[in-house]
Amino acid sequence: MGQTKLQKYIFTFMMCFGMVLGMTIYNMLLNEGFHNQFFKNLLNEFWLGFIVALLLDIFIVGKLAKPLALKMIKPDSQTKPIKIILAISICMVIGMVLCMSMFGAIVTIGFNTSALKLYPLFIVRNFIMALPLNLLVVSPLVRFSFGKLFPCIK
């Protein structure tokens, strides 16, 4: 979403922020539960994940996911915009879950064979939350907010 390069970066920033925040909270609740240091730990753990996710989104996943999604649905004048949005969102979620699950395994366990063993579990566990979080919460909120920031964009 967005017409200019700056608007596209702002949209990406907003989506990435919302998804990383939601997924960080989800993973912290799974791993630690809620405790009195939860929000302090959230602030500490969020930023590195956000930076890594933003870089992955801008330089790798976004560059692969969007063209792949457009090839899969082959948009034309009859294609509804929601189909394009859903295809891109699903491809982005798959790519980001694959990458960020490895990041999470390495941060949690370290760069060793144990991280590789847990990687498939992390993928499944993260995908279960990431897809509905993206489609039902973050994407609608960001699209609404983005529309308020840039009202001329349809």
Side-chain angles (χ1 to χ4, degrees):
M1 201 168 167
Q3 293 174 341
T4 68
K5 212 169 191 125
L6 177 63
Q7 290 171 349
K8 288 177 184 179
Y9 282 122
I10 291 170
F11 182 79
T12 299
F13 183 92
M14 291 169 70
M15 281 296 296
C16 194
F17 187 92
M19 285 301 296
V20 172
L21 181 61
M23 292 304 295
T24 303
I25 291 169
Y26 168 72
N27 280 298
M28 284 179 61
L29 288 171
L30 281 178
N31 295 330
E32 306 169 13
F34 190 79
H35 52 82
N36 59 352
Q37 295 293 311
F38 184 83
F39 293 108
K40 180 183 175 205
N41 292 352
L42 176 63
L43 284 174
N44 291 334
E45 293 182 24
F46 170 79
W47 294 107
L48 180 60
F50 174 69
I51 291 166
V52 169
L54 188 61
L55 292 173
L56 283 168
D57 189 335
I58 292 170
F59 295 111
I60 299 171
V61 177
K63 298 237 186 258
L64 297 172
K66 291 171 189 165
L68 180 64
L70 296 176
K71 277 186 182 179
M72 289 186 333
I73 61 165
K74 297 177 177 80
D76 57 22
S77 60
Q78 301 295 325
T79 307
K80 294 182 180 178
I82 190 70
K83 276 187 166 181
I84 297 169
I85 291 167
L86 286 174
I88 292 172
S89 292
I90 290 168
C91 288
M92 287 295 294
V93 166
I94 291 168
M96 291 303 286
V97 164
L98 291 173
C99 294
M100 291 304 290
S101 292
M102 179 54 75
F103 168 78
I106 292 169
V107 167
T108 302
I109 303 200
F111 191 70
N112 56 43
T113 56
S114 296
L116 288 176
K117 290 176 186 173
L118 282 177
Y119 179 57
L121 172 66
F122 283 23
I123 290 171
V124 171
R125 191 172 80 172
N126 288 325
F127 187 76
I128 288 169
M129 183 62 177
L131 189 62
L133 178 66
N134 183 298
L135 296 178
L136 301 175
V137 180
V138 176
S139 187
L141 284 174
V142 168
R143 287 176 187 284
F144 176 79
S145 302
F146 191 81
K148 294 294 183 188
L149 284 172
F150 302 100
C152 61
I153 297 174
K154 294 179 182 180

